[in-house]
Amino acid sequence: MGLRSNRRTFVGGLGALLASAWGSGRLRTASAAPVPAQPEKISGFGSSGNVYQELGVATVINGQGTMTTLGGSLIRPEVEAVMALATKHFVSIPELERAAGERIAQMLKLPDGYSALVTSGAAAAIQSGLAGLLTGDNEQLIQQLPDLTGLKSEVLIQKAHRNPFDHQLRATGVKLVVIETRDELRNAVGPKTAMMHFSNFANSAGQIKVEEWLKLAKEHNLPAMIDAAADTPPVSHLWDYANMGYDMITFSGGKAIRGPQCAGLLLGRKEMVHNALLNNSPFEDTLGRGQKVGKEEIVGMIKALELYLNEDQEALTKQWWSRLDKISTEVTKVPGVSTAYFVPDVANHVPHVQINWDPRRIALATHEAAGLLRKGTPSIVVESTETGLAMNSFMLQPGEDTIVGAKIAELLRAHPV
Ligand SMILES: *Cc1c(COP(=O)(O)O)cnc(C)c1O
């Protein structure tokens, strides 16, 4: 009885739906060509279309780049669509992780013996990668972290490479052994040494550069990890360091790749990637259980990479330059203002503009200028430097270059000496 009445209700409901679809003309469209999935109609929170405004949190124009504190990057719409597909079924997460890792290794044409793991970010990749190295696949050791009793307990790093993300190394319980010279490195290697870590963005700051660091690691028979979180573009960096021979390489998924914000990649030797996963969510009683990766992020990361690899990088770069040109043209109309372009060597390797002003003509401290732009409407985020402001354009949305140029020009004009 119950079943029949349910069926009737269901059929009745379907009939009503078909009738209304026919009435609105949507069904005819549907029979001719597949209709893209319509977003669910939102009532209540989100119904205005601007969730941030509903919460009273101002959105910003991002001239700073892929900063996690500003939300990283804007996810590609197709990635979002694929993530929505992932929400519709249950799967074994470890099985999905392994399949995704193989697919990513193929897409990036990583060398034989390499695989990939989607993590919750580059920071998580650093932590799980090292954890896996320390514990191997030994369940008891995995549960024991960050207690390193009986395990290797030191990681070598150059002084100039220390940065806030080495907290993820220290979180495993290891001690960082900080060195500067080749001799110091040789003396520091010992039975407790687990790994040599390289921060790619600091390449030029350290005495030992990226290739030599790897060579020294091989000489000492130590695994080498490189953090290249923000180091695309160029796209080729996604395979360059694996081809060079680094054992583990970390990337952010939610920076220039424009994947899910809470995703990243650990690329590395199969066994290391395998052991990293064992130290990570969804496995319990692990150091990485707090770094959950969802099925949505895992498939979203694949899609983001696919799109990133097929993107016309030259056209993108041109667009980034032309936005900066527009801003430069506008601000240099203000007497006493000059601009200069630069591209950082590594990490945020994208066009930047430096906007300088003559303090004899414009009376505004650079940090005040940045602060006023941040507090303005719309709020604009750029960096202040010693001589002026610096910004990039790769996270600007269409039309924002015009706004930024006008607002900075207006601000500087408003502060004559
Ligand atoms: C952003 C960044 C990280 C952290 O990456 P997430 O994907 O946000 O976890 C690590 N190292 C460097 C150098 C970074 O720029």
Side-chain angles (χ1 to χ4, degrees):
M1 261 314 259
L3 184 65
R4 272 172 73 189
S5 70
N6 277 345
R7 268 180 66 102
R8 201 158 49 232
T9 314
F10 170 70
V11 171
L14 186 64
L17 188 71
L18 287 175
S20 77
W22 183 261
S24 68
R26 273 179 58 195
L27 198 66
R28 268 166 293 174
T29 325
S31 61
V35 177
Q38 298 294 313
E40 300 292 334
K41 204 157 163 40
I42 302 171
S43 60
F45 178 65
S47 58
S48 75
N50 188 336
V51 284
Y52 302 117
Q53 201 170 42
E54 287 181 35
L55 290 172
V57 179
T59 56
V60 305
I61 292 179
N62 179 4
Q64 207 176 18
T66 53
M67 312 299 294
T68 298
T69 52
L70 292 178
S73 59
L74 298 187
I75 193 168
R76 297 168 194 272
E78 267 188 86
V79 173
E80 211 184 326
V82 166
M83 289 172 79
L85 295 178
T87 64
K88 301 198 187 299
H89 305 277
F90 294 99
V91 283
S92 152
I93 296 295
E95 196 184 325
L96 178 64
E97 276 284 26
R98 290 190 184 104
E102 271 174 42
R103 174 67 69 92
I104 290 169
Q106 281 167 13
M107 287 166 70
L108 299 179
K109 300 191 176 69
L110 296 183
D112 276 352
Y114 275 71
S115 184
L117 178 68
V118 178
T119 61
S120 63
I126 293 170
Q127 185 178 302
S128 322
L130 175 56
L133 202 59
L134 295 167
T135 63
D137 61 2
N138 183 312
E139 194 176 344
Q140 201 186 327
L141 296 177
I142 290 170
Q143 291 172 0
Q144 175 190 311
L145 285 194
D147 172 356
L148 297 179
T149 308
L151 298 175
K152 292 184 178 175
S153 58
E154 291 177 356
V155 167
L156 300 178
I157 189 168
Q158 294 182 77
K159 191 173 174 196
H161 287 230
R162 291 292 317 273
N163 74 80
F165 295 102
D166 61 43
H167 200 127
Q168 270 57 55
L169 296 171
R170 289 178 277 127
T172 63
V174 301
K175 185 171 141 259
L176 298 182
V177 177
V178 181
I179 59 99
E180 281 186 274
T181 65
R182 290 159 190 85
D183 279 345
E184 283 172 11
L185 174 74
R186 287 202 176 88
N187 292 331
V189 174
K192 289 187 194 159
T193 315
M195 183 178 92
M196 286 172 56
H197 186 74
F198 197 86
S199 306
N200 200 40
F201 73 89
N203 187 43
S204 63
Q207 291 188 24
I208 309 173
K209 309 300 181 202
V210 62
E211 305 235 16
E212 191 185 357
W213 188 255
L214 178 66
K215 196 175 136 253
L216 291 167
K218 300 241 183 259
E219 262 173 38
H220 292 105
N221 216 3
L222 288 170
M225 176 186 272
I226 182 167
D227 176 17
D231 300 351
T232 65
V235 177
S236 68
H237 276 180
L238 286 168
W239 47 87
D240 285 345
Y241 303 108
N243 285 334
M244 205 181 271
Y246 270 88
D247 302 285
M248 288 189 278
I249 308 112
T250 63
F251 286 101
S252 290
K255 290 182 180 166
I257 297 169
R258 293 182 55 206
Q261 183 47 210
C262 302
L265 289 173
L266 175 70
L267 311 178
R269 301 201 185 270
K270 277 186 178 153
E271 195 191 340
M272 295 182 191
V273 166
H274 173 78
N275 295 337
L277 175 58
L278 296 182
N279 275 277
N280 213 1
S281 178
F283 297 110
E284 296 178 350
D285 200 351
T286 61
L287 189 68
R289 180 59 185 81
Q291 304 172 333
K292 186 186 279 188
V293 193
K295 52 197 182 304
E296 297 80 7
E297 282 79 26
I298 299 170
V299 303
M301 199 59 228
I302 296 176
K303 191 69 194 173
L305 279 172
E306 181 188 84
L307 295 168
Y308 192 51
L309 294 174
N310 288 321
E311 205 165 34
D312 183 347
Q313 292 295 323
E314 224 170 288
L316 258 187
T317 310
K318 260 192 201 152
Q319 188 187 46
W320 297 338
W321 278 120
S322 95
R323 288 172 181 166
L324 294 184
D325 276 338
K326 197 179 237 179
I327 292 165
S328 173
T329 303
E330 210 42 46
V331 299
T332 51
K333 286 179 187 162
V334 183
V337 176
S338 62
T339 58
Y341 296 116
F342 67 99
V343 179
D345 273 350
V346 71
N348 297 306
H349 178 69
V350 294
H352 285 62
V353 67
Q354 167 79 33
I355 302 167
N356 295 322
W357 55 90
D358 182 346
R360 290 167 303 178
R361 303 184 78 161
I362 296 168
L364 186 58
T366 64
H367 69 274
E368 274 178 88
L372 288 168
L373 290 167
R374 181 73 175 85
K375 278 188 235 142
T377 311
S379 173
I380 298 170
V381 181
V382 295
E383 303 220 22
S384 62
T385 69
E386 226 164 273
T387 54
L389 299 170
M391 67 174 292
N392 54 52
S393 62
F394 72 138
M395 291 295 122
L396 291 184
Q397 299 306 296
E400 289 181 345
D401 47 0
T402 309
I403 300 171
V404 171
K407 287 286 173 187
I408 295 180
E410 183 187 302
L411 176 70
L412 296 176
R413 259 196 205 100
H415 290 82
V417 166

